[in-house]
Amino acid sequence: MKQAYAHLTDPLIKANPITLHILGICSALAVTTSVSTALTMSAALTVVLVLSSAMISAIRHHMPTAIRLIVQITIIASLVIVMDLFLKAFAFEMSKRLSIFVGLIVTNCLVLGRAEAFARRNPVWPSVLDALGNGLGYSIILLTVGTIRELFGVGTLLGYEILPLVENGGWFRPMHVMLLAPSAFFIVGFLVWVIRSLRPEQAETPEFRILSHDETAQS
Amino acid sequence: MADFNPIRLWKRFLALPNDDLGKTLVFAFLITFVASVIVSVAAVTLTPFYQQNLDRERQARMEEMVASLSVMSDILSELKIDDFDVRIVDLSSGTFAKDIDPTSYNQREAARDPNQSLSLPRDSDTAGIRQRANFAPVYILRRDQALELIVFPVRGVGYQSMLYAFLALEADANTIAGLSFYEQGETPGVGARITEPDWQALWPGKTLADENGDIRISVVRGSGQGRFEVDGISGATRTGNGVSNMLHFWLGDFGFGPFLKRIQAGEIRL
């Protein structure tokens, strides 16, 4: 039971898919200009991830080795199409703002990554927990980045004004750089730095060492 | 083996090794079958809702365009619903079709019905739409009894999707009052910028045809010169060409050309 619980909680911070595995970065940059898009995208990805992991895990004993990846992608793609249609039908404005990024969940390394690394070799229930944990881990980072970008980019959260803008008689000048993709890179990088400072075991061992001038002269 | 037992057959299938060719093929078939059933069911049940959203969007764009046209705002506030008239045009003759109810006519469905549409010869089909409905609605806006704007629905293929737009002309039927795209699936951030107000603002005041009646309007690469050229969007050359071709088609002989000629000749009074 404790181990099953770990499947759920580990990916939140300790093995977070974005900050530790650096997976799913593309959508993390693209949809985090506001909290509402980040929230919708997180929900969509989590649902797809949980369902695909459950399905792939359920058929894992009979997966033909030769077409393993194709089968996994077929399952993921079908779920993504359904999700995309669902958003278009019931959250039309939101689906327009997310444009192609819901469809691009198919190519999100996170989904296929969990299918390959976990669901393919584990029973259904742990796979579902693992998928849910990873989906929530992804969501935490997206919401953090989205909150920072929306708050400092336009002074609002979920559309409500938090920092009074200069143009409305307040004091806050929006930082437009926050709405551009590079700012998401900086924020994700910053989060990686903070998490790895607090948990040094996450830091990778350097693959090479930079020699000083004296050392190079000797060798 | 005379008795055919599906359960035993299924068990035998599952017992096959995972690198067996037969199992691979059957498995691939089953997975694609299940996946296609799921996707089809979702498409059939959810598309009506999506279509509703699209219709609402089209309605909103139409109203938005009417509101944003280069008419002064005080005149607009006087625009009452009576001033907004929908008529159905017979495209081949360029005259009004009297026996079609504008409120129930659906141009998109008609374009799919071979009995209500024309299969376009390939070399005339510059918009890439293949089938063109025989009839099309036009929207006529009047102010103080005088013709103010004529709005035409147009569509054509851009870089990767069908573009749907409204083209509004001023009373001379030659000066553009606005072009507004309400449905497209071009690349976000590139071709999809045709829906941005900044780009659509380039259109009002441009001229369709020169003194000889030749349609000259086009989207050019870089910045447009003169009254026939509109700046292209950088990186979206093919979308821009699609927009040009679409306008040429719909203003030409297979589009609203005959109707426009009749207006300019004074044969039709709006």
Side-chain angles (χ1 to χ4, degrees):
Chain A
M1 189 60 218
K2 197 171 177 200
Q3 208 197 342
Y5 181 67
H7 290 313
L8 182 64
T9 51
D10 272 1
L12 296 185
I13 303 286
K14 196 173 150 201
N16 188 288
I18 295 184
T19 58
L20 181 67
H21 302 305
I22 321 287
L23 291 177
I25 292 288
C26 165
S27 53
L29 303 183
V31 302
T32 50
T33 47
S34 71
V35 177
S36 55
T37 48
L39 202 60
T40 317
M41 184 69 184
S42 302
L45 184 119
T46 307
V47 170
V48 169
L49 186 55
V50 169
L51 291 178
S52 67
S53 286
M55 289 170 160
I56 289 165
S57 166
I59 58 170
R60 68 187 184 284
H61 292 310
H62 302 291
M63 188 87 83
T65 30
I67 54 168
R68 189 186 78 224
L69 284 174
I70 303 175
V71 168
Q72 290 172 1
I73 283 288
T74 309
I75 292 173
I76 296 168
S78 318
L79 291 167
V80 167
I81 295 171
V82 173
M83 178 55 69
D84 199 23
L85 281 169
F86 184 81
L87 286 179
K88 278 178 175 161
F90 299 113
F92 185 61
E93 287 303 313
M94 186 49 78
S95 79
K96 276 203 310 189
R97 284 173 63 196
L98 288 173
S99 67
I100 52 172
F101 291 104
V102 174
L104 284 182
I105 293 176
V106 181
T107 58
N108 195 312
C109 327
L110 177 50
V111 185
L112 189 62
R114 289 331 288 172
E116 268 290 287
F118 199 91
R120 189 160 70 82
R121 317 160 202 256
N122 287 283
V124 175
W125 181 237
S127 300
V128 167
L129 286 180
D130 175 77
L132 189 63
N134 275 283
L136 292 178
Y138 175 87
S139 309
I140 289 176
I141 301 298
L142 247 69
L143 289 178
T144 311
V145 178
T147 306
I148 297 173
R149 289 180 78 184
E150 187 177 344
L151 185 63
F152 294 108
V154 282
T156 62
L157 279 181
L158 282 169
Y160 294 103
E161 189 170 69
I162 304 291
L163 303 174
L165 297 180
V166 172
E167 51 196 83
N168 299 343
W171 52 269
F172 181 67
R173 256 177 221 291
M175 299 153 74
H176 288 298
V177 67
M178 282 294 175
L179 300 181
L180 304 176
S183 75
F185 259 123
F186 297 141
I187 297 169
V188 170
F190 178 76
L191 290 175
V192 171
W193 175 52
V194 168
I195 292 174
R196 289 187 186 189
S197 302
L198 295 175
R199 296 169 172 271
E201 73 276 12
Q202 282 197 2
E204 292 132 21
T205 43
E207 286 172 7
F208 52 85
R209 194 168 61 89
I210 296 172
L211 298 178
S212 72
H213 180 70
D214 294 343
E215 286 170 306
T216 40
Q218 280 167 17
S219 61
Chain B
M1 275 317 276
D3 59 327
F4 178 78
N5 187 335
I7 296 174
R8 195 177 302 156
L9 209 61
W10 176 246
K11 279 191 177 148
R12 263 182 56 197
F13 166 68
L14 289 187
L16 286 172
N18 283 347
D19 50 5
D20 181 83
L21 179 65
K23 182 170 184 178
T24 304
L25 290 176
V26 174
F27 197 92
F29 172 78
L30 286 177
I31 282 289
T32 40
F33 180 76
V34 171
S36 55
V37 167
I38 293 174
V39 169
S40 315
V41 168
V44 169
T45 48
L46 295 174
T47 306
F49 294 98
Y50 177 43
Q51 197 58 45
Q52 249 173 28
N53 290 330
L54 283 181
D55 291 345
R56 215 172 297 141
E57 165 97 358
R58 179 165 59 227
Q59 194 66 36
R61 278 297 165 94
M62 184 77 206
E63 283 160 14
E64 196 178 282
M65 175 156 139
V66 170
S68 69
L69 288 170
S70 56
V71 196
M72 306 231 319
S73 56
D74 54 330
I75 302 168
L76 261 180
S77 61
E78 289 166 18
L79 269 180
K80 297 187 184 64
I81 202 77
D82 306 334
D83 300 314
F84 184 84
D85 205 6
V86 188
R87 302 287 295 271
I88 299 292
V89 173
D90 182 338
L91 291 175
S92 50
S93 69
T95 53
F96 287 124
K98 297 208 169 49
D99 46 352
I100 291 177
D101 178 13
T103 54
S104 63
Y105 180 68
N106 187 327
Q107 192 187 5
R108 269 195 213 189
E109 273 170 23
R112 281 198 284 268
D113 180 354
N115 296 323
Q116 297 185 64
S117 61
L118 177 70
S119 206
L120 295 166
R122 187 168 280 242
D123 53 339
S124 315
D125 184 18
T126 51
I129 59 173
R130 299 210 184 113
Q131 290 283 121
R132 186 220 65 189
N134 294 337
F135 301 98
V138 295
Y139 306 86
I140 297 157
L141 281 75
R142 293 195 190 81
R143 171 175 45 120
D144 300 336
Q145 314 292 321
L147 178 64
E148 183 73 34
L149 293 170
I150 324 165
V151 181
F152 300 94
V154 293
R155 68 186 174 109
V157 171
Y159 168 55
Q160 56 182 31
S161 65
M162 188 65 82
L163 317 173
Y164 291 88
F166 287 115
L167 170 70
L169 300 183
E170 290 180 8
D172 63 358
N174 196 26
T175 308
I176 296 178
L179 179 70
S180 173
F181 289 89
Y182 60 86
E183 198 182 320
Q184 50 83 27
E186 299 293 277
T187 321
V190 192
R193 288 177 58 202
I194 55 173
T195 58
E196 287 183 1
D198 283 353
W199 192 70
Q200 297 188 357
L202 300 172
W203 288 85
K206 298 290 176 189
T207 314
L208 296 181
D210 60 16
E211 287 68 20
N212 302 325
D214 293 330
I215 305 292
R216 296 269 304 273
I217 186 79
S218 67
V219 178
V220 296
R221 283 180 95 153
S223 53
Q225 310 287 327
R227 60 197 177 115
F228 298 117
E229 294 187 350
V230 175
D231 307 357
I233 294 166
S234 56
T237 313
R238 284 172 66 182
T239 303
N241 291 344
V243 172
S244 300
N245 293 339
M246 171 183 87
L247 291 180
H248 279 254
F249 174 82
W250 284 100
L251 299 166
D253 293 340
F254 283 97
F256 292 103
F259 178 68
L260 288 170
K261 287 204 178 75
R262 282 179 194 272
I263 296 178
Q264 281 151 0
E267 288 172 36
I268 291 181
R269 299 195 55 81
L270 297 172

